[in-house]
Coordinates of all heavy atoms in Angstrom, one line a residue:
M289 N 0.8 -1.2 0.0 CA 0.0 0.0 0.0 C 0.9 1.2 0.0 O 1.9 1.3 0.7 CB -1.0 0.0 1.3 CG -1.7 1.2 1.4 SD -2.8 1.2 2.8 CE -4.4 0.8 2.0
E290 N 0.5 2.2 -0.8 CA 1.2 3.5 -1.0 C 1.1 4.3 0.4 O -0.1 4.5 0.9 CB 0.8 4.2 -2.2 CG 1.7 5.3 -2.6 CD 1.2 5.9 -3.9 OE1 0.1 5.6 -4.4 OE2 2.0 6.7 -4.6
A291 N 2.2 5.0 0.8 CA 2.1 5.8 1.9 C 1.1 7.0 1.7 O 1.1 7.5 0.6 CB 3.4 6.4 2.3
P292 N 0.3 7.4 2.7 CA -0.6 8.5 2.5 C 0.0 9.8 2.0 O -0.6 10.5 1.1 CB -1.2 8.7 3.9 CG -0.9 7.5 4.6 CD 0.3 6.9 4.0
Q293 N 1.2 10.2 2.3 CA 1.7 11.4 1.9 C 2.1 11.4 0.4 O 2.0 12.4 -0.3 CB 3.0 11.8 2.6 CG 4.1 10.9 2.6 CD 4.2 9.9 3.8 OE1 3.1 9.5 4.2 NE2 5.4 9.4 4.1
Y294 N 2.4 10.1 -0.1 CA 2.6 10.0 -1.6 C 1.3 10.1 -2.4 O 1.3 10.7 -3.4 CB 3.3 8.7 -1.9 CG 4.7 8.7 -1.3 CD1 5.2 7.7 -0.5 CD2 5.6 9.7 -1.6 CE1 6.4 7.7 0.0 CE2 6.9 9.7 -1.1 CZ 7.3 8.7 -0.3 OH 8.6 8.7 0.2
V295 N 0.3 9.5 -1.8 CA -1.1 9.6 -2.5 C -1.5 11.0 -2.5 O -2.0 11.6 -3.6 CB -2.1 8.7 -1.7 CG1 -3.5 8.9 -2.3 CG2 -1.7 7.3 -1.7
A296 N -1.4 11.8 -1.4 CA -1.7 13.2 -1.3 C -0.9 14.0 -2.4 O -1.5 14.8 -3.1 CB -1.5 13.7 0.1
A297 N 0.4 13.8 -2.5 CA 1.2 14.4 -3.5 C 0.8 14.1 -4.9 O 0.7 15.0 -5.8 CB 2.7 14.2 -3.2
R298 N 0.4 12.9 -5.1 CA -0.1 12.5 -6.5 C -1.3 13.2 -6.8 O -1.5 13.7 -7.9 CB -0.2 11.0 -6.6 CG -0.5 10.6 -8.0 CD -0.6 9.0 -8.1 NE -1.8 8.5 -7.4 CZ -1.8 7.6 -6.5 NH1 -0.7 7.2 -6.0 NH2 -3.0 7.2 -5.9
V299 N -2.3 13.3 -5.9 CA -3.6 13.9 -6.1 C -3.4 15.4 -6.3 O -3.9 16.1 -7.2 CB -4.5 13.7 -5.0 CG1 -5.8 14.5 -5.1 CG2 -4.9 12.2 -4.9
Q300 N -2.5 16.1 -5.5 CA -2.2 17.6 -5.7 C -1.6 17.8 -7.0 O -2.0 18.8 -7.7 CB -1.3 18.0 -4.5 CG -2.1 18.2 -3.2 CD -1.2 18.7 -2.2 OE1 -0.1 18.3 -1.9 NE2 -1.7 19.8 -1.4
A301 N -0.7 16.9 -7.5 CA -0.1 17.1 -8.8 C -1.2 17.0 -9.8 O -1.1 17.7 -10.9 CB 1.0 16.1 -9.0
A302 N -2.1 16.0 -9.7 CA -3.1 15.9 -10.7 C -4.1 17.1 -10.7 O -4.4 17.5 -11.8 CB -4.0 14.6 -10.4
L303 N -4.4 17.7 -9.6 CA -5.2 18.9 -9.5 C -4.5 20.0 -10.2 O -5.2 20.9 -10.9 CB -5.6 19.2 -8.1 CG -6.4 18.2 -7.3 CD1 -6.5 18.7 -5.9 CD2 -7.7 17.9 -7.9
A304 N -3.2 20.1 -10.1 CA -2.5 21.2 -10.7 C -2.3 21.0 -12.2 O -2.3 22.0 -12.9 CB -1.1 21.4 -10.0
E305 N -2.1 19.8 -12.6 CA -1.6 19.6 -14.0 C -2.8 19.2 -14.9 O -2.7 19.3 -16.2 CB -0.6 18.4 -14.0 CG 0.6 18.8 -13.3 CD 1.6 17.6 -13.0 OE1 1.3 16.5 -13.5 OE2 2.6 17.8 -12.4
D306 N -4.0 18.7 -14.4 CA -5.1 18.4 -15.3 C -5.6 19.6 -16.0 O -5.8 20.6 -15.3 CB -6.1 17.7 -14.4 CG -7.1 17.0 -15.3 OD1 -8.0 17.8 -15.9 OD2 -7.2 15.8 -15.3
G307 N -5.8 19.5 -17.2 CA -6.4 20.6 -18.0 C -7.8 21.1 -17.6 O -8.2 22.2 -17.9
R308 N -8.5 20.2 -16.9 CA -9.8 20.7 -16.4 C -9.8 21.5 -15.2 O -10.7 22.2 -14.8 CB -10.7 19.4 -16.1 CG -10.9 18.6 -17.3 CD -11.5 17.2 -17.0 NE -10.5 16.5 -16.4 CZ -10.7 15.2 -15.9 NH1 -11.9 14.7 -15.9 NH2 -9.7 14.5 -15.3
T309 N -8.7 21.5 -14.4 CA -8.6 22.1 -13.1 C -7.5 23.2 -13.0 O -7.8 24.2 -12.6 CB -8.4 21.1 -12.0 OG1 -7.4 20.2 -12.3 CG2 -9.7 20.2 -11.9
H310 N -6.3 22.8 -13.2 CA -5.1 23.8 -13.0 C -5.2 24.5 -11.7 O -5.1 25.7 -11.7 CB -5.0 24.7 -14.2 CG -4.8 24.2 -15.5 ND1 -3.5 23.5 -15.8 CD2 -5.4 24.1 -16.7 CE1 -3.5 23.1 -17.0 NE2 -4.7 23.5 -17.6
E311 N -5.4 23.7 -10.7 CA -5.6 24.4 -9.3 C -4.4 24.0 -8.4 O -4.1 22.9 -8.2 CB -6.9 23.8 -8.7 CG -7.4 24.6 -7.5 CD -7.8 26.0 -7.9 OE1 -8.7 26.2 -8.8 OE2 -7.4 26.9 -7.2
L312 N -3.8 25.1 -7.8 CA -2.7 24.8 -7.0 C -3.0 25.0 -5.4 O -2.3 24.5 -4.6 CB -1.6 25.9 -7.2 CG -0.9 25.8 -8.7 CD1 0.0 26.9 -8.9 CD2 -0.2 24.4 -8.8
G313 N -4.1 25.7 -5.2 CA -4.4 26.2 -3.8 C -5.2 25.1 -3.0 O -5.8 25.6 -2.0
I314 N -5.4 23.9 -3.3 CA -6.2 23.0 -2.7 C -5.4 22.0 -1.8 O -4.4 21.5 -2.3 CB -7.1 22.1 -3.7 CG1 -7.9 23.0 -4.6 CG2 -7.9 21.1 -3.0 CD1 -8.9 23.9 -3.8
R315 N -5.8 21.9 -0.5 CA -5.1 20.9 0.3 C -5.7 19.6 0.3 O -7.0 19.5 0.3 CB -5.3 21.6 1.8 CG -4.2 20.9 2.7 CD -4.2 21.6 4.1 NE -5.2 20.9 4.9 CZ -6.0 21.6 5.7 NH1 -6.0 22.9 5.8 NH2 -6.9 21.0 6.4
V316 N -4.9 18.6 0.2 CA -5.3 17.2 0.2 C -4.8 16.5 1.4 O -3.7 16.5 1.7 CB -4.7 16.5 -1.1 CG1 -5.1 15.1 -1.1 CG2 -5.1 17.3 -2.4
D317 N -5.8 16.0 2.2 CA -5.4 15.2 3.4 C -6.0 13.7 3.2 O -7.1 13.5 2.7 CB -6.1 15.8 4.6 CG -5.5 17.1 4.9 OD1 -4.3 17.3 4.9 OD2 -6.3 18.0 5.2
I318 N -5.2 12.7 3.6 CA -5.5 11.4 3.6 C -5.7 10.9 5.0 O -4.7 11.1 5.8 CB -4.5 10.5 2.8 CG1 -4.1 11.1 1.4 CG2 -4.9 9.1 2.7 CD1 -5.3 11.0 0.5
R319 N -6.8 10.2 5.3 CA -7.0 9.6 6.5 C -7.6 8.2 6.3 O -8.7 8.1 6.0 CB -8.0 10.4 7.4 CG -7.5 11.8 7.7 CD -6.6 11.9 8.8 NE -6.2 13.2 9.2 CZ -5.0 13.8 8.9 NH1 -4.1 13.1 8.3 NH2 -4.8 15.0 9.2
G320 N -6.7 7.2 6.4 CA -7.1 5.9 6.2 C -7.5 5.7 4.7 O -6.7 6.0 3.8
D321 N -8.7 5.3 4.5 CA -9.2 5.1 3.1 C -10.1 6.3 2.6 O -10.8 6.3 1.7 CB -10.1 3.9 3.0 CG -11.4 3.9 3.8 OD1 -11.5 4.8 4.6 OD2 -12.3 3.0 3.5
Q322 N -9.9 7.5 3.3 CA -10.6 8.6 2.9 C -9.7 9.8 2.5 O -8.7 10.0 3.1 CB -11.5 9.1 4.1 CG -12.4 7.9 4.5 CD -13.5 8.3 5.4 OE1 -14.1 9.4 5.2 NE2 -13.8 7.5 6.4
L323 N -10.2 10.6 1.6 CA -9.4 11.7 1.0 C -10.2 12.9 1.2 O -11.4 12.9 0.8 CB -9.1 11.4 -0.5 CG -8.3 12.5 -1.3 CD1 -7.5 11.7 -2.4 CD2 -9.1 13.6 -1.8
F324 N -9.7 14.0 1.7 CA -10.3 15.2 2.0 C -9.7 16.3 1.2 O -8.5 16.4 1.2 CB -10.2 15.6 3.5 CG -10.9 14.7 4.4 CD1 -10.3 13.5 4.9 CD2 -12.2 14.8 4.8 CE1 -10.9 12.6 5.7 CE2 -12.9 13.9 5.6 CZ -12.2 12.8 6.1
L325 N -10.5 17.0 0.4 CA -10.1 18.1 -0.3 C -10.6 19.4 0.4 O -11.8 19.5 0.7 CB -10.8 18.2 -1.7 CG -10.4 17.1 -2.6 CD1 -11.2 17.1 -3.9 CD2 -9.0 17.1 -2.9
R326 N -9.7 20.4 0.7 CA -10.0 21.6 1.4 C -9.4 22.8 0.7 O -8.3 22.8 0.2 CB -9.6 21.6 2.9 CG -10.3 20.4 3.6 CD -9.9 20.4 5.0 NE -10.6 19.4 5.8 CZ -10.1 18.3 6.2 NH1 -8.8 18.0 6.0 NH2 -10.8 17.4 6.9
G327 N -10.1 23.9 0.6 CA -9.7 25.1 0.0 C -10.8 25.9 -0.4 O -11.9 25.7 0.0
Q328 N -10.6 26.9 -1.3 CA -11.6 27.8 -1.8 C -11.4 27.9 -3.4 O -10.3 28.0 -3.8 CB -11.5 29.1 -1.2 CG -11.8 29.2 0.3 CD -11.6 30.5 0.9 OE1 -11.1 31.4 0.3 NE2 -12.1 30.7 2.1
V329 N -12.6 27.9 -4.0 CA -12.5 28.2 -5.5 C -13.7 29.2 -5.8 O -14.5 29.5 -4.9 CB -12.8 26.9 -6.3 CG1 -11.6 26.0 -6.1 CG2 -14.1 26.2 -5.9
S330 N -13.7 29.7 -7.0 CA -14.6 30.8 -7.3 C -15.9 30.3 -8.0 O -16.7 31.0 -8.4 CB -14.0 31.8 -8.2 OG -13.6 31.2 -9.4
G331 N -16.1 29.0 -8.1 CA -17.3 28.5 -8.8 C -17.6 27.0 -8.4 O -16.7 26.2 -8.2
A332 N -18.9 26.7 -8.4 CA -19.3 25.3 -8.1 C -18.8 24.3 -9.1 O -18.5 23.2 -8.8 CB -20.8 25.3 -8.0
E333 N -18.7 24.7 -10.4 CA -18.3 23.8 -11.5 C -16.8 23.4 -11.2 O -16.4 22.2 -11.3 CB -18.5 24.4 -12.8 CG -19.9 24.6 -13.3 CD -20.0 25.2 -14.6 OE1 -19.0 25.7 -15.2 OE2 -21.2 25.4 -15.0
Q334 N -16.0 24.4 -10.8 CA -14.6 24.0 -10.5 C -14.5 23.1 -9.4 O -13.7 22.2 -9.3 CB -13.8 25.4 -10.3 CG -12.4 25.2 -9.9 CD -11.5 24.7 -11.1 OE1 -11.9 24.3 -12.1 NE2 -10.2 24.8 -10.9
R335 N -15.3 23.3 -8.3 CA -15.3 22.5 -7.2 C -15.6 21.0 -7.6 O -15.0 20.1 -7.2 CB -16.4 23.0 -6.2 CG -16.6 22.1 -4.9 CD -17.7 22.7 -4.0 NE -17.8 22.1 -2.8 CZ -18.4 20.8 -2.6 NH1 -19.0 20.3 -3.7 NH2 -18.5 20.3 -1.4
E336 N -16.7 20.9 -8.4 CA -17.0 19.6 -8.8 C -15.9 18.9 -9.7 O -15.6 17.7 -9.5 CB -18.3 19.6 -9.7 CG -19.5 20.0 -8.9 CD -19.7 19.1 -7.7 OE1 -19.6 17.9 -7.8 OE2 -19.9 19.7 -6.5
R337 N -15.3 19.7 -10.6 CA -14.1 19.2 -11.4 C -13.0 18.7 -10.6 O -12.4 17.6 -10.8 CB -13.6 20.2 -12.4 CG -14.6 20.4 -13.6 CD -14.0 21.2 -14.7 NE -13.7 22.6 -14.2 CZ -14.5 23.7 -14.4 NH1 -15.6 23.5 -15.1 NH2 -14.2 24.9 -14.0
L338 N -12.7 19.4 -9.5 CA -11.7 19.0 -8.6 C -12.0 17.7 -7.9 O -11.1 16.9 -7.8 CB -11.4 20.2 -7.6 CG -10.7 21.4 -8.1 CD1 -11.0 22.6 -7.2 CD2 -9.4 21.1 -8.4
G339 N -13.2 17.5 -7.5 CA -13.6 16.2 -6.9 C -13.5 15.1 -7.9 O -13.0 14.0 -7.5
L340 N -13.8 15.3 -9.1 CA -13.7 14.3 -10.1 C -12.2 14.0 -10.4 O -11.9 12.8 -10.5 CB -14.4 14.8 -11.4 CG -14.3 13.8 -12.6 CD1 -15.0 12.5 -12.3 CD2 -14.8 14.5 -13.9
V341 N -11.4 14.9 -10.6 CA -10.0 14.7 -10.8 C -9.3 14.0 -9.6 O -8.6 13.0 -9.8 CB -9.3 16.0 -11.2 CG1 -7.7 15.8 -11.2 CG2 -9.7 16.5 -12.5
A342 N -9.7 14.4 -8.4 CA -9.1 13.7 -7.2 C -9.6 12.2 -7.2 O -8.8 11.3 -6.9 CB -9.6 14.4 -6.0
H343 N -10.8 11.9 -7.6 CA -11.3 10.6 -7.6 C -10.6 9.8 -8.6 O -10.3 8.6 -8.4 CB -12.8 10.5 -7.8 CG -13.3 9.1 -8.0 ND1 -13.4 8.3 -6.9 CD2 -13.8 8.5 -9.0 CE1 -13.9 7.1 -7.3 NE2 -14.1 7.2 -8.6
E344 N -10.3 10.4 -9.8 CA -9.7 9.6 -10.8 C -8.2 9.3 -10.4 O -7.6 8.3 -10.7 CB -9.6 10.5 -12.1 CG -10.9 10.6 -12.7 CD -11.1 11.6 -13.9 OE1 -10.0 12.2 -14.2 OE2 -12.1 11.6 -14.5
A345 N -7.6 10.3 -9.7 CA -6.1 10.1 -9.2 C -6.0 9.1 -8.1 O -5.0 8.4 -8.0 CB -5.6 11.4 -8.8
A346 N -7.1 8.9 -7.3 CA -7.0 8.0 -6.2 C -8.4 7.2 -6.1 O -9.2 7.5 -5.2 CB -6.8 8.7 -4.9
P347 N -8.7 6.4 -7.0 CA -10.0 5.7 -7.2 C -10.4 4.8 -6.0 O -11.5 4.5 -5.8 CB -9.9 4.9 -8.5 CG -8.5 4.7 -8.8 CD -7.7 5.9 -8.1
D348 N -9.4 4.4 -5.3 CA -9.7 3.5 -4.1 C -10.1 4.2 -2.8 O -10.4 3.5 -1.9 CB -8.4 2.6 -3.8 CG -8.1 1.6 -5.0 OD1 -9.1 1.3 -5.8 OD2 -6.9 1.3 -5.1
L349 N -10.0 5.5 -2.9 CA -10.3 6.3 -1.7 C -11.7 6.9 -1.8 O -12.1 7.3 -2.9 CB -9.2 7.4 -1.4 CG -7.8 6.8 -1.3 CD1 -6.9 8.0 -1.0 CD2 -7.8 5.9 0.0
R350 N -12.3 7.1 -0.7 CA -13.6 7.9 -0.7 C -13.3 9.4 -0.6 O -12.6 9.8 0.4 CB -14.4 7.4 0.5 CG -15.7 8.1 0.6 CD -16.7 7.4 1.6 NE -17.9 8.1 1.7 CZ -18.5 8.4 2.8 NH1 -18.1 8.0 3.9 NH2 -19.6 9.1 2.8
V351 N -13.7 10.2 -1.5 CA -13.4 11.6 -1.7 C -14.4 12.3 -0.9 O -15.6 12.3 -1.2 CB -13.3 12.0 -3.1 CG1 -13.0 13.5 -3.2 CG2 -12.2 11.3 -3.8
H352 N -14.0 13.2 0.0 CA -14.8 14.2 0.7 C -14.4 15.5 0.2 O -13.4 16.1 0.5 CB -14.6 14.1 2.3 CG -15.0 12.8 2.8 ND1 -16.2 12.5 3.2 CD2 -14.2 11.7 3.1 CE1 -16.2 11.2 3.7 NE2 -15.0 10.8 3.6
N353 N -15.3 16.1 -0.6 CA -15.0 17.4 -1.3 C -15.6 18.5 -0.3 O -16.7 18.9 -0.3 CB -15.7 17.5 -2.6 CG -15.3 18.7 -3.3 OD1 -14.7 19.7 -2.8 ND2 -15.4 18.6 -4.7
E354 N -14.6 19.1 0.5 CA -15.0 20.1 1.5 C -14.5 21.5 0.9 O -14.4 22.5 1.8 CB -14.4 19.8 2.8 CG -14.9 18.5 3.4 CD -14.2 18.2 4.8 OE1 -13.3 18.9 5.2 OE2 -14.7 17.3 5.4
I355 N -14.3 21.6 -0.3 CA -13.9 22.9 -1.0 C -15.1 23.9 -0.8 O -16.2 23.5 -1.2 CB -13.4 22.7 -2.4 CG1 -12.3 21.8 -2.4 CG2 -13.2 24.0 -3.1 CD1 -11.9 21.3 -3.8
M356 N -14.7 25.1 -0.4 CA -15.8 26.1 -0.4 C -15.8 27.0 -1.6 O -14.7 27.3 -2.2 CB -15.5 27.0 0.8 CG -15.7 26.3 2.2 SD -15.4 27.2 3.7 CE -15.7 28.9 3.2
V357 N -17.0 27.4 -2.0 CA -17.2 28.3 -3.2 C -17.3 29.6 -2.6 O -18.2 29.9 -1.8 CB -18.4 27.9 -4.1 CG1 -18.5 28.8 -5.2 CG2 -18.2 26.5 -4.6
V358 N -16.4 30.5 -3.1 CA -16.5 31.9 -2.6 C -16.9 32.8 -3.8 O -16.6 32.5 -4.9 CB -15.1 32.4 -2.0 CG1 -14.9 31.7 -0.7 CG2 -14.1 32.3 -3.1
E359 N -17.7 33.9 -3.5 CA -18.1 34.8 -4.5 C -17.0 35.8 -4.9 O -16.4 36.4 -3.9 CB -19.3 35.5 -4.0 CG -19.9 36.5 -5.0 CD -21.2 37.1 -4.6 OE1 -21.8 36.6 -3.7 OE2 -21.5 38.2 -5.1
V360 N -16.7 35.9 -6.1 CA -15.7 36.9 -6.6 C -16.5 38.0 -7.3 O -17.2 37.7 -8.2 CB -14.7 36.2 -7.5 CG1 -13.7 37.3 -8.0 CG2 -14.0 35.1 -6.9
T361 N -16.3 39.2 -6.8 CA -17.0 40.3 -7.4 C -16.0 41.3 -8.0 O -14.8 41.3 -7.8 CB -17.8 41.1 -6.3 OG1 -16.9 41.5 -5.3 CG2 -18.9 40.1 -5.7
E362 N -16.6 42.1 -9.0 CA -15.7 43.1 -9.6 C -15.3 44.1 -8.5 O -16.1 44.4 -7.6 CB -16.5 43.8 -10.6 CG -16.9 42.9 -11.8 CD -15.6 42.7 -12.6 OE1 -14.8 43.5 -12.8 OE2 -15.5 41.6 -13.2
P363 N -14.2 44.7 -8.6 CA -13.8 45.7 -7.7 C -14.7 47.0 -7.8 O -15.2 47.3 -8.8 CB -12.3 46.1 -8.1 CG -12.1 45.4 -9.3 CD -13.2 44.4 -9.6
G364 N -14.9 47.6 -6.7 CA -15.7 48.8 -6.6 C -15.0 50.0 -7.1 O -13.9 49.9 -7.8
E365 N -15.3 51.2 -6.7 CA -14.7 52.4 -7.1 C -13.4 52.5 -6.5 O -13.0 51.9 -5.4 CB -15.5 53.6 -6.7 CG -16.9 53.7 -7.4 CD -17.7 54.9 -7.0 OE1 -17.1 55.9 -6.6 OE2 -18.9 54.9 -7.1
D366 N -12.5 53.3 -7.2 CA -11.2 53.5 -6.6 C -11.3 54.3 -5.2 O -12.1 55.2 -5.1 CB -10.3 54.4 -7.5 CG -9.9 53.6 -8.8 OD1 -10.0 52.4 -8.8 OD2 -9.6 54.3 -9.8
E367 N -10.5 53.9 -4.3 CA -10.4 54.6 -3.1 C -9.4 55.7 -3.1 O -8.3 55.6 -3.5 CB -10.0 53.6 -1.9 CG -10.0 54.3 -0.6 CD -9.6 53.2 0.5 OE1 -9.4 52.1 0.2 OE2 -9.5 53.6 1.7
H368 N -9.8 56.8 -2.8 CA -9.0 58.0 -2.8 C -8.6 58.5 -1.4 O -9.5 58.7 -0.6 CB -9.7 59.3 -3.5 CG -10.0 59.0 -5.0 ND1 -9.0 59.0 -6.0 CD2 -11.1 58.6 -5.5 CE1 -9.6 58.6 -7.1 NE2 -10.8 58.4 -6.9
L369 N -7.4 58.5 -1.1 CA -6.9 58.9 0.2 C -6.3 60.3 0.1 O -5.5 60.6 -0.8 CB -5.8 58.0 0.7 CG -6.2 56.5 0.8 CD1 -5.0 55.7 1.1 CD2 -7.3 56.2 1.8
D370 N -6.8 61.2 1.0 CA -6.3 62.5 1.1 C -5.2 62.7 2.0 O -5.1 62.1 3.0 CB -7.5 63.5 1.3 CG -8.5 63.5 0.2 OD1 -8.2 63.3 -0.9 OD2 -9.7 63.6 0.6

């Protein structure tokens, strides 16, 4: 059986390198036969893609997608300091 830290590194590499995701800021934790994804993304579709890629990279583990979707808004008016 592969050591958990190697599985986590393999999944993180897949999340970063897969053309569907290209995501660097997601934390991957392995606990027994369970894989936890944690972090923040700007859309629900990206969150789902990350879960799919993680499952493909570690199909024997149960994936818990705990990634939060945060709202990204356009910047407001310029702030002027006097």
Side-chain angles (χ1 to χ4, degrees):
M289 176 179 257
E290 193 174 13
Q293 62 268 28
Y294 294 126
V295 176
R298 184 176 72 239
V299 171
Q300 283 183 313
L303 298 177
E305 296 170 2
D306 191 287
R308 297 168 288 178
T309 53
H310 293 296
E311 192 68 52
L312 297 173
I314 300 302
R315 195 171 87 223
V316 178
D317 294 314
I318 308 292
R319 300 282 181 252
D321 65 346
Q322 304 194 42
L323 181 151
F324 295 87
L325 297 175
R326 296 186 178 104
Q328 297 180 342
V329 294
S330 61
E333 292 176 358
Q334 179 70 346
R335 179 184 185 275
E336 295 304 315
R337 285 190 296 265
L338 289 163
L340 177 64
V341 171
H343 176 70
E344 291 172 358
D348 295 334
L349 300 180
R350 182 169 177 222
V351 176
H352 298 274
N353 191 339
E354 298 179 354
I355 297 170
M356 294 178 28
V357 177
V358 295
E359 184 177 337
V360 178
T361 60
E362 291 291 321
E365 294 182 25
D366 291 341
E367 181 179 359
H368 297 282
L369 303 175
D370 294 323

